[in-house]
Each structure stands twice: as C-alpha cells, then as structure tokens.
C-alpha cells in the first residue's frame, strides 16, 4: 500500500481537517454524515488517499462548504514529484512549431 503524501492530497486533507475541527466534530461524525468509512475519511485528511470528485463533493456538503474552497489554488505544481503535465496551450504551441519546421 502506498502511503506517500503528495502535495495536492496533503493540501486538500489539511483543508478538510481544518473545516472539521472548526465545526468541533470528530472524523467519525463527518465520515458517517458523508456516508463513508472513517478509515477512508482519515486517509483523506492525512493526504494518503486520492478521493473521487463525488467523495469530495459529499465531504464539502457535510462541512458546509464547497469544493472550490477545498481545492482553491491546487495546481499542477502540487502534483507528485516526477509527474509532468503538458498544458493544452503548450501542446498547441509545440505542434505549431513542429509543423512550421517540417514545412521548411
């Protein structure tokens, strides 16, 4: 089992934990209200899980917040080390550059 804490998952988990603590509720209470097992919820708070969008929506609803506030400013810079994502604009620029070179 991979328990590596990745930056994006860690940041999301920290935000979820803070919202829960501010409400004064336990992990068990939030997990129950979100219809999930407390073990899985705990993994999310620790950043050891990659929850689905639907799970994030359920947790956000229970916490009385929205997904945007939990994921604000989480960008590709928060992806695991070694994972490189080529943006669409970068892809299009490179394709255009290669097309011009092949015609020359």
């Amino acid at each position: 089992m991979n328990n590596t804490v990745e930056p994006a998952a860690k940041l999301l988990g920290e935000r979820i934990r803070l919202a829960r603590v501010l409400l004064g509720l336990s992990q068990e209470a939030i997990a129950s209200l979100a219809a999930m097992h407390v073990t899985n919820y705990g993994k999310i708070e620790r950043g050891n899980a990659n929850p689905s969008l639907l799970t994030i929506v359920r947790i956000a609803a229970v916490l009385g917040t929205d997904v945007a506030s939990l994921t604000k400013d989480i960008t590709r810079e928060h992806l695991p080390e070694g994972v490189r994502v080529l943006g669409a604009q970068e892809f299009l620029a490179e394709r255009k550059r290669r097309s011009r070179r092949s015609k020359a």
Side-chain angles (χ1 to χ4, degrees), residues 5 18 30:
V5 177
L18 177 60
I30 299 297

Side-chain angles (χ1 to χ4, degrees), residues 43-87:
K43 288 178 184 178
I44 293 168
E45 275 198 8
R46 289 188 304 278
N48 292 332
N50 186 15
S52 71
L53 176 60
L54 292 178
T55 297
I56 297 170
V57 170
R58 286 196 334 256
I59 292 170
V62 169
L63 295 172
T65 189
D66 58 21
V67 173
S69 65
L70 296 176
T71 60
K72 181 176 175 31
D73 297 326
I74 296 177
T75 64
R76 67 181 172 180
E77 285 75 30
H78 295 95
L79 291 172
E81 189 175 318
V83 173
R84 184 175 184 284
V85 175
L86 186 64

Side-chain angles (χ1 to χ4, degrees), residues 8 14 38 49 76 96-97:
E14 288 170 355
V38 67
R76 67 181 172 180
K96 187 175 183 179
R97 185 183 67 75

Side-chain angles (χ1 to χ4, degrees), residues 1-4 39 43 46 48:
M1 176 194 284
N2 184 2
N3 286 331
T4 304
T39 303
K43 288 178 184 178
R46 289 188 304 278
N48 292 332

